[in-house]
Amino acid sequence: MKASWSTAVSATLHCLTGCAIGEVLGMVVGTALGLPNWGTVVLAVALAFFFGYALTVRGVLRTGLAFGAALKVALAADTVSIAVMEVVDNAIMVVVPGAMESGLASLLFWGALAFSLAVAFVLTVPVNRWLISRGKGHAVVHHAHHH
């Protein structure tokens, strides 16, 4: 399958939506609860995967697939993309001095989080393009939609 850059951008935007919901929620909850950085990162990653998969499952269920089959499609379509995005954005949050400790009212916290998601998006687009060109990643979702 030939993967265009626009297809990869679209797939990555889809991934970013779920990741960002979970990432922001996890960072906000972890920071508000005063969790250590590692605890906040674990929570953010877990929620990013949850929401990333949930959005895909929701869309695939509309095609008439059963929940189990839809979940398998979501796992095949999103795992690598979410993993790359999460490694990048959490690494940035951890390495920006003071970002995770600055608190929810801080411009540093929100600026670093927005920057981390933007960089994660840019670095994940070529990964998704490569996956789609090999019939993997979001190509699996497109196959399910034409099922």
Side-chain angles (χ1 to χ4, degrees), residues 63-138:
T63 69
L65 284 180
F67 179 79
L71 182 58
K72 286 179 184 177
V73 168
L75 292 171
D78 293 338
T79 300
V80 172
S81 183
I82 295 171
V84 170
M85 202 165 279
E86 287 305 296
V87 166
V88 172
D89 68 48
N90 282 288
I92 291 171
M93 284 302 291
V94 169
V95 300
V96 171
M100 296 205 35
E101 297 78 25
S102 62
L104 298 177
S106 165
L107 184 59
L108 176 60
F109 175 85
W110 292 104
L113 186 54
F115 176 74
S116 73
L117 290 168
V119 172
F121 172 80
V122 168
L123 295 178
T124 305
V125 168
V127 172
N128 279 326
R129 184 171 186 249
W130 181 81
L131 288 168
I132 293 166
S133 72
R134 281 150 185 79
K136 311 250 186 253
H138 269 260

Side-chain angles (χ1 to χ4, degrees), residues 18-75:
C19 285
I21 292 168
E23 184 71 23
V24 171
L25 184 61
M27 286 287 167
V28 167
V29 170
T31 301
L33 293 177
L35 296 179
N37 287 354
W38 68 265
T40 299
V41 167
V42 167
L43 179 60
V45 169
L47 290 174
F49 272 94
F50 173 79
F51 283 101
Y53 290 143
L55 289 179
T56 298
V57 166
R58 189 186 95 209
V60 174
L61 284 173
R62 291 183 183 153
T63 69
L65 284 180
F67 179 79
L71 182 58
K72 286 179 184 177
V73 168
L75 292 171

